[in-house]
């Protein structure tokens, strides 16, 4: 009896993440290292397949393996939620319900910055077309509504507003490779805080230090919003960087690390493992921005 022949999806096919958060793995194995995570609604390019896994590239150029159940391949060349009305999540967690009422079954939770397609937003509830093609509903107050077909104004972020946003994550647990409020690592935390305010950063701390929009800042001139780095060497050796945070002021920084998760630490805390590993600081120049938001002030 002939067996069904498995077909391999062509490399380079556009897809969309359907799970609220999914880990990209180093190999096609759920026990392998998590290299990063992708969030619901985010576009990916499927570059290959192996059994029930796809090798994908994310919007921030990371590559890894995700299980087939977490991905919907698209026939069209248009990324999900890239045209027309969309809802950008404001809250750390937003309940998506089966019906437009607070007692309806929760289908899933969307995390802050996730962008989902809008079907109707005429009432206090927003009807969504989810990436897996189901319909769901969220309260209008939990999202920023945008029209992707219209030009959008992106305001230059005030450093103190960046820190206000970062402080909303205090207590979120540390997770290697994590990029969401379910669990987040140091560079994923900095990346997400900036993305909420419309600033795209790449994923790793050393790449963030080498961003051409960054300018070096001396330790005595560090101020709120500056990126601060720690490692086994000193500036300008970016290969020595092992950790990143954001300055709250000249004496404190906020970061996701170790056993604490997201927390605020003094630069000179004698109990901190980072006190003697300060590498240097960078200040972002915000000339180059893109839509990616849901900033609380909007």
């Amino acid at each position: 009896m002939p067996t069904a022949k498995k077909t391999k999806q062509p490399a380079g096919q556009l897809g969309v993440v359907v799970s609220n958060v999914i880990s990209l793995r180093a190999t096609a194995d759920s026990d392998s290292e998590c290299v990063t995570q992708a969030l619901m609604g985010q576009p990916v390019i499927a570059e290959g397949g192996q059994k029930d896994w796809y090798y994908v590239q994310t919007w921030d150029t990371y590559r890894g393996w995700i299980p087939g159940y977490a991905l919907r391949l698209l026939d069209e060349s248009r990324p999900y939620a890239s045209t027309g009305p969309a809802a950008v999540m404001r809250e750390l967690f937003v309940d998506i319900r089966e019906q437009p009422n607070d007692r309806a079954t929760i289908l899933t939770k969307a995390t802050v910055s996730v962008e989902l397609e809008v079907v109707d937003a005429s009432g206090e509830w927003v009807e969504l077309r989810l990436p897996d093609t189901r319909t769901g509903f969220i309260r209008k107050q939990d999202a920023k509504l945008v029209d992707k077909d219209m030009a959008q104004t992106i305001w230059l972020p005030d450093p103190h507003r960046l820190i206000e946003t970062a402080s909303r994550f205090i207590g979120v647990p540390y997770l290697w490779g994590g990029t969401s409020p379910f669990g987040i690592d140091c560079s994923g935390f900095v990346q997400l805080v900036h993305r909420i305010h419309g600033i795209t950063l790449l994923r790793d701390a050393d790449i963030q230090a080498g961003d051409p929009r960054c300018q070096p800042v001396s330790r005595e001139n560090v101020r709120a919003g500056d990126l601060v780095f720690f490692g086994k060497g000193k500036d300008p050796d970016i290969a020595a960087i092992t950790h990143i945070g954001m300055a709250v002021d000249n004496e404190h920084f906020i970061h996701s690390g170790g056993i604490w998760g997201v927390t605020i630490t003094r630069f000179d805390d004698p109990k901190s493992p980072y006190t003697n590993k300060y590498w240097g600081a960078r200040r972002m120049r915000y000339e180059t921005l893109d839509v990616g938001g849901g900033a609380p002030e909007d």
Side-chain angles (χ1 to χ4, degrees), residues 1-291:
M1 177 179 176
T3 57
K5 190 174 182 180
K6 285 184 176 284
T7 58
K8 183 178 178 181
Q9 295 293 338
Q13 185 167 357
L14 181 64
V16 60
V17 174
V18 299
S19 297
N20 55 7
V21 180
I22 191 66
S23 295
L24 275 68
R25 302 287 178 179
T27 63
D29 182 342
S30 58
D31 292 327
S32 69
E33 178 189 9
C34 170
V35 296
T36 190
Q37 291 181 320
L39 306 181
M40 179 167 56
Q42 287 184 348
V44 295
I45 300 297
E47 298 180 335
Q50 180 176 314
K51 294 185 178 179
D52 298 323
W53 291 77
Y54 290 98
Y55 186 69
V56 302
Q57 176 177 302
T58 59
W59 65 272
D60 56 1
T61 73
Y62 246 74
R63 287 179 168 88
W65 293 89
I66 65 172
Y69 67 77
L71 175 69
R72 179 168 70 91
L73 295 173
L74 302 177
D75 294 328
E76 66 270 23
S77 59
R78 175 186 68 87
Y80 171 85
S82 61
T83 61
V88 185
M89 303 303 114
R90 292 178 183 268
E91 302 301 322
L92 295 190
F93 299 100
V94 177
D95 291 335
I96 300 177
R97 296 185 180 271
E98 196 171 56
Q99 297 296 329
N101 68 76
D102 289 322
R103 295 186 177 181
T105 299
I106 297 174
L107 296 174
T108 188
K109 293 181 185 293
T111 56
V112 65
S113 83
V114 161
E115 302 182 10
L116 301 174
E117 290 183 351
V118 170
V119 176
D120 180 74
S122 56
E124 66 175 288
W125 289 83
V126 178
E127 183 179 357
L128 303 171
R129 182 182 300 106
L130 302 183
D132 62 6
T133 73
R134 289 183 298 174
T135 296
F137 296 84
I138 60 170
R139 284 199 166 275
K140 184 176 288 185
Q141 66 194 32
D142 291 336
K144 179 180 71 173
L145 301 181
V146 299
D147 189 336
K148 293 299 187 73
D149 295 330
M150 298 179 63
Q152 299 177 52
T153 300
I154 305 173
W155 300 102
L156 296 178
D158 180 284
H160 294 282
R161 298 309 293 266
L162 284 172
I163 299 305
E164 286 181 13
T165 297
S167 297
R168 296 172 62 197
F169 288 82
I170 289 176
V172 170
Y174 178 87
L175 176 66
W176 176 268
T179 63
S180 84
F182 285 111
I184 200 161
D185 67 16
C186 64
S187 58
F189 169 61
V190 171
Q191 182 190 52
L192 180 55
V193 169
H194 283 77
R195 184 166 174 76
I196 289 169
H197 286 268
I199 307 162
T200 295
L201 299 181
L202 293 183
R203 180 68 172 85
D204 293 337
D206 58 343
I207 298 175
Q208 292 166 354
D211 191 305
R213 294 167 296 177
C214 284
Q215 58 187 15
V217 180
S218 63
R219 173 66 187 87
E220 59 269 22
N221 289 323
V222 166
R223 69 187 189 198
D226 288 347
L227 306 183
V228 291
F229 300 88
F230 305 83
K232 299 177 181 179
K234 296 294 182 182
D235 191 355
D237 180 14
I238 63 173
I241 294 172
T242 59
H243 191 65
I244 183 176
M246 298 173 62
V248 176
D249 51 38
N250 191 256
E251 298 179 349
H252 303 83
F253 65 101
I254 186 168
H255 61 127
S256 181
I259 61 175
W260 315 281
V262 178
T263 189
I264 294 176
T265 302
R266 288 188 62 90
F267 283 106
D268 61 358
D269 184 349
K271 297 181 180 179
S272 169
Y274 304 108
T275 298
N276 297 320
K277 295 182 179 179
Y278 181 78
W279 178 89
R282 295 286 187 268
R283 185 168 298 154
M284 288 289 296
R285 300 190 305 270
Y286 300 122
E287 293 97 344
T288 306
L289 301 179
D290 61 74
V291 176

